[in-house]
Amino acid sequence: MTEPKDIVLKESEEVEGVPVEGPWLDDVSSLEEVLDYYERIGFQATHLGRAIEIWQKVEEKRANGEEVRVFLGYTSNIISSGLREIIAWLVKEGKVDVIVTTAGGIEEDFIKALKPFILGDWNVNDALMREKGINRIGNIFVPNDRYIEFEKYMIPFFERVLEMEKERGKPLTASEFIYEMGRYMDEKLGKEKERSVIYWAYKRNVPIFCPAITDGSIGDMLYFFKEERGDRELIIDIANDIVKLNNLAVTAKETASIILGGSLPKHAIINANLFRGGTDYAIYVTTAIPWDGSLSGAPPSEGVSWGKIRAKADYVEIWADATLVFPLLVWKVMKG
């Protein structure tokens, strides 16, 4: 019979590896030095440390003239938050080559160049908010006058797009539509446009893909435009965009996929990479769980089973709110 002490104090095998430790605050004097410890802290901090390492590797390759095409995907709530400005900076500085987002990721970026969103609270009377015409995205408030102002710009923009399509003899793709929005912002808006993702994507010629572009306020404005004018000619082409997006993956020597959140942007990016045998680098930041089989919660290893991420790829998933970790990730990679 095994003795209780032998059960509790069972002999163990030696484990080689990195010791778990965090920063001793007397020994660090900057955020950069604190972030150097993240890979050793454990739990999701270690995943953030790994993400820093992967993105730094991508940046080093690009700095040495090697081609690593960076795909950035994000859901609309990312633009609702203050991460919008970080993403706009990345585009401005040439750190991103391809963007995929949802309709809200387009329209909210434009709207914020007109009027800011307001920091509110999680605990409110939502019925009363509705009576006051104030929309809520978590603890971010968006008064309805933002959408009223948006319509003032979008209806003339649709007129412009319609004329362009008549002259071309074919519809604009969604990415061309968004590019023209950037041009329109450049013409119509002042200094406030310089914090916009769309504006800098236009200036830097970074394509923004939005396969579900009508699923939001843009779709609402299209509805008003078409119904009020009886228009059936204005069309946004998404079929040719899928060819363009897939080919941006296929023609790249290497690709890196950085994805905040899940849903359509995540799948559009990794599915495009399927056609080249999978992405070479992947960083996921998500709060979605994998247990319901959703794409949003699917970890990178599941993408390997589909061929959307290479079996030998460098990849990591950070299970955390992107507003907490993405600023740290970008700061360390780009400035640290």
Side-chain angles (χ1 to χ4, degrees):
M1 177 179 175
T2 306
E3 294 296 321
K5 185 174 182 180
D6 293 332
I7 294 171
V8 174
L9 301 179
K10 178 180 171 60
E11 292 287 336
S12 62
E13 296 180 7
E14 191 62 35
V15 177
E16 299 294 331
V18 177
V20 175
E21 66 171 332
W24 185 257
L25 296 185
D26 292 336
D27 297 336
V28 296
S29 59
S30 68
L31 175 61
E32 178 186 353
E33 291 177 341
V34 172
L35 288 170
D36 285 337
Y37 280 88
Y38 264 62
E39 201 163 6
R40 288 174 276 167
I41 289 176
F43 305 140
Q44 295 304 306
T46 293
H47 287 211
L48 175 55
R50 177 69 180 131
I52 290 169
E53 182 183 272
I54 292 170
W55 202 346
Q56 284 177 332
K57 182 177 181 180
V58 169
E59 278 297 298
E60 286 168 9
K61 283 193 165 190
R62 285 161 64 94
N64 291 329
E66 297 181 53
E67 185 194 24
V68 184
R69 190 165 289 164
V70 176
F71 290 72
L72 176 63
Y74 51 85
T75 44
S76 64
N77 59 322
I78 300 300
I79 296 298
S80 309
S81 76
L83 295 186
R84 170 196 185 235
E85 286 71 22
I86 294 174
I87 292 170
W89 183 90
L90 289 170
V91 178
K92 174 180 176 288
E93 296 299 318
K95 304 301 183 181
V96 173
D97 302 305
V98 184
I99 291 173
V100 183
T101 188
T102 55
I106 304 300
E107 61 209 23
E108 291 184 19
D109 179 66
F110 193 110
I111 292 168
K112 279 187 165 185
L114 303 176
K115 287 187 175 184
F117 291 3
I118 304 300
L119 188 62
D121 200 340
W122 293 93
N123 299 310
V124 295
N125 183 327
D126 286 295
L128 182 59
M129 294 277 284
R130 179 59 186 165
E131 288 180 16
K132 293 182 176 182
I134 301 172
N135 308 288
R136 183 168 69 87
I137 305 167
N139 64 343
I140 296 171
F141 292 174
V142 189
N144 228 34
D145 67 344
R146 273 63 171 171
Y147 293 100
I148 294 169
E149 190 70 12
F150 184 52
E151 187 195 25
K152 293 176 183 177
Y153 283 86
M154 290 308 293
I155 298 304
F157 177 66
F158 292 150
E159 297 280 10
R160 174 187 289 197
V161 169
L162 186 55
E163 288 304 311
M164 289 178 65
E165 292 186 343
K166 287 178 179 177
E167 290 175 10
R168 288 167 32 126
K170 62 178 181 179
L172 271 64
T173 63
S175 63
E176 290 170 335
F177 179 92
I178 296 163
Y179 177 84
E180 291 301 328
M181 283 182 75
R183 189 199 305 274
Y184 188 61
M185 292 178 78
D186 195 20
E187 294 173 8
K188 302 294 184 181
L189 303 184
K191 192 173 179 61
E192 61 274 11
K193 70 193 174 192
E194 295 181 7
R195 299 295 176 92
S196 161
V197 178
I198 298 170
Y199 169 76
W200 284 112
Y202 160 71
K203 297 291 282 188
R204 299 290 186 255
N205 201 27
V206 172
I208 301 178
F209 294 92
C210 186
I213 195 165
T214 60
D215 186 30
S217 184
I218 290 174
D220 299 343
M221 302 309 161
L222 275 170
Y223 171 74
F224 297 146
F225 179 84
K226 284 181 166 291
E227 281 295 286
E228 290 169 6
R229 287 160 178 75
D231 170 71
R232 295 299 179 266
E233 294 181 312
L234 176 56
I235 297 171
I236 301 175
D237 173 15
I238 60 171
N240 282 309
D241 256 358
I242 195 64
V243 177
K244 183 178 177 182
L245 175 59
N246 288 354
N247 282 339
L248 282 167
V250 169
T251 59
K253 183 179 179 181
E254 288 190 309
T255 66
S257 302
I258 301 168
I259 301 168
L260 311 180
S263 78
L264 185 150
K266 177 181 178 182
H267 186 260
I269 288 174
I270 61 174
N271 193 70
N273 276 274
L274 169 64
F275 292 89
R276 63 180 304 278
T279 191
D280 301 281
Y281 307 93
I283 298 170
Y284 290 179
V285 183
T286 185
T287 55
I289 59 172
W291 317 120
D292 60 358
S294 70
L295 186 280
S296 292
S301 58
E302 187 173 308
V304 172
S305 78
W306 289 88
K308 297 170 183 176
I309 296 177
R310 292 188 188 276
K312 295 183 178 180
D314 285 342
Y315 60 77
V316 68
E317 179 179 52
I318 307 168
W319 202 58
D321 180 348
T323 61
L324 294 173
V325 301
F326 195 62
L328 297 175
L329 173 58
V330 173
W331 171 261
K332 180 59 179 175
V333 174
M334 304 302 169
K335 296 286 190 177

